[in-house]
Amino acid sequence: MNQFELSRASSVADALALLAGDSQARFIAGGTNLLDLMKEDVARPTRLIDITHLPLAAVEAGKGGGLRIGALVSNADLAYHSEVSSRYPLLSQAILAGASPQLRNMASTGGNLLQRTRCYYFYDAATPCNKREPGSGCPAREGVNRIHAILGASEQCVAVHPSDMCVALAALDATVHVSGPAGDRAIQFDHFHQLPGDTPDIDTSLAPDEIITAVELPAEGYSGHYSYIKIRDRASYAFALVSVAAGLALDGGTISSAAVALGGVAHKPWRDRQAEQLLIGKPANEASFTAFADALLQPAQPLAHNAFKIGLAKRTIVRALSRAVAMEEQS
Ligand SMILES: Cc1cc2nc3c(=O)[nH]c(=O)nc-3n(C[C@H](O)[C@H](O)[C@H](O)COP(=O)(O)OP(=O)(O)OC[C@H]3O[C@@H](n4cnc5c(N)ncnc54)[C@H](O)[C@@H]3O)c2cc1C
Ligand code: SF4
């Protein structure tokens, strides 16, 4: 473990001032990802800024009937919050599919958005990795790449984003609120996480001098027809090979609105709004869902060991949408 200083921020302005003074400083919330990265010598902050005492732990009414979730609301509190479990059960379900009860008690909303990939090479400081050390190479491309991306990857990086919560937030069209020296701004969830391109070391559009203050959900939560399905190697305590967050609005047996996001397949939660249009006005049946899944996975480019994800993703999409229609027992 490298040496570091610890500061405690007393306000958002104080947190930003502490961050501005040190380019190697990092915020710490639950610490469930950052401390692991420090122990593995992947992250080497010179200063940790404890933000756990900032007034960002409330879930309150948002604009236009939505819900505003403070960046420090724990994953557990969020999943079990009555407004979330009743109006946004897709989000509750996705959160509860992740990690363990102990981790969810510690993990924060902001930290979940910024958790880093679980690519084995990224965590192994003895190997090259473009995300950890830009320009050093990507051993996963030709190496052990069973868990890696099939969509939106680049020559530089084929890692996937590991979050479950973020897949639901993508389907729900959340907005991320941030503050920085230039003031406050709102980032649409689609634009928050980035594809790797030529800069795989940059995961998000959050600037290095900004802090996440809240995540806001719109009024529509797809509480009538939703499903989150996570496919993984073990039944618990494992990251997704493929996950699907699906929300539907139905007019009789016809689809009037659809939102489908995938986890475990790309560097960010994956949505294809053009493909989603294929569902609108169609009967809510397996044929429509299969046509949609085929279109969504059409651009997939498998690596040597992860071609299985294409069929798995298609089947999981069809199952998630079918469950969303029937609202059968969900696990
Ligand atoms: C064993 C294990 C299993 C897990 N399984 C899953 C799983 O199945 N599914 C899943 O989704 N997740 C899983 N996780 C990941 C877990 O959800 C994340 O580690 C957690 O959400 C991160 O939140 P945190 O508050 O602990 O972040 P921290 O570790 O405190 O911070 C993470 C990063 O976010 C930054 N940060 C934190 N808050 C802010 C803020 N408000 N503004 C700006 N920057 C901020 C920090 O500087 C740091 O870079 C697992 C983790 C572990 C250790
Ligand atoms: S996939 Fe990305 S994170 Fe993994 S080794 Fe390649 S560059 Fe590093």
Side-chain angles (χ1 to χ4, degrees):
M1 179 76 92
N2 294 300
Q3 286 205 334
F4 59 88
E5 288 180 49
L6 181 65
S7 310
R8 176 170 287 171
S10 56
S11 65
V12 170
D14 186 30
L16 291 174
L18 286 164
L19 190 67
D22 186 346
S23 66
Q24 295 306 310
R26 294 289 177 271
F27 295 133
I28 184 159
T32 60
N33 190 215
L34 183 55
L35 290 179
D36 279 356
L37 292 168
M38 289 170 67
K39 286 185 230 167
E40 298 294 336
D41 202 25
V42 175
R44 297 168 196 145
T46 49
R47 179 194 291 267
L48 290 184
I49 304 166
D50 176 1
I51 57 171
T52 56
H53 287 65
L54 301 187
L56 301 174
V59 178
E60 52 203 357
K63 285 190 203 123
L67 200 68
R68 190 179 167 103
I69 302 154
L72 289 171
V73 176
S74 76
N75 290 181
D77 285 350
L78 186 57
Y80 293 116
H81 192 282
S82 58
E83 284 280 309
V84 177
S85 54
S86 61
R87 294 177 57 199
Y88 307 95
L90 176 59
L91 179 56
S92 294
Q93 207 170 53
I95 294 171
L96 294 175
S100 65
Q102 294 90 336
L103 283 160
R104 294 193 296 266
N105 281 338
M106 290 300 294
S108 67
T109 300
N112 194 307
L113 266 58
L114 294 175
Q115 64 174 294
R116 306 212 70 192
T117 184
R118 293 283 158 172
C119 172
Y120 331 108
Y121 301 101
F122 175 71
Y123 272 81
D124 180 357
T127 65
C129 166
N130 285 329
K131 185 180 281 297
R132 183 168 26 77
E133 204 70 53
S136 61
C138 174
R141 267 217 154 262
E142 305 302 330
V144 182
N145 48 38
R146 181 172 173 273
I147 64 169
H148 289 76
I150 52 171
L151 288 162
S154 72
E155 275 303 313
Q156 304 295 320
C157 179
V158 292
V160 298
H161 195 266
S163 171
D164 290 291
M165 185 177 92
C166 290
V167 183
L169 291 175
L172 291 168
D173 282 317
T175 302
V176 184
H177 292 277
V178 308
S179 288
D184 300 342
R185 66 186 180 111
I187 308 170
Q188 283 177 359
F189 208 80
D190 274 356
H191 302 307
F192 186 76
H193 296 99
Q194 299 189 353
L195 292 178
D198 291 333
T199 53
D201 50 316
I202 301 173
D203 289 342
T204 72
S205 55
L206 184 77
D209 57 0
E210 288 180 319
I211 185 170
I212 299 173
T213 52
V215 172
E216 189 158 352
L217 298 172
E220 170 61 82
Y222 293 107
S223 59
H225 296 281
Y226 67 89
S227 181
Y228 185 76
I229 298 182
K230 177 177 181 178
I231 307 293
R232 46 191 155 175
D233 284 326
R234 290 189 304 268
S236 71
Y237 211 47
F239 291 89
L241 290 168
V242 167
S243 67
V244 176
L248 288 174
L250 301 177
D251 184 2
T254 303
I255 302 166
S256 56
S257 172
V260 181
L262 270 66
V265 297
H267 202 253
K268 58 186 283 187
W270 189 263
R271 266 188 87 169
D272 184 336
R273 289 169 193 272
Q274 215 174 329
E276 281 172 21
Q277 284 305 310
L278 294 174
L279 289 167
I280 308 304
K282 297 285 176 2
N285 61 25
E286 193 171 326
S288 307
F289 302 154
T290 303
F292 163 70
D294 286 344
L296 193 145
L297 270 307
Q298 196 275 329
Q301 290 189 320
L303 300 160
H305 305 293
N306 69 1
F308 74 96
K309 281 193 179 185
I310 297 178
L312 185 63
K314 288 183 183 179
R315 292 191 297 278
T316 310
I317 289 170
V318 173
R319 200 165 122 208
L321 285 165
S322 303
R323 279 189 177 189
V325 172
M327 288 305 292
E328 61 199 46
E329 180 85 10
Q330 309 209 4
S331 60

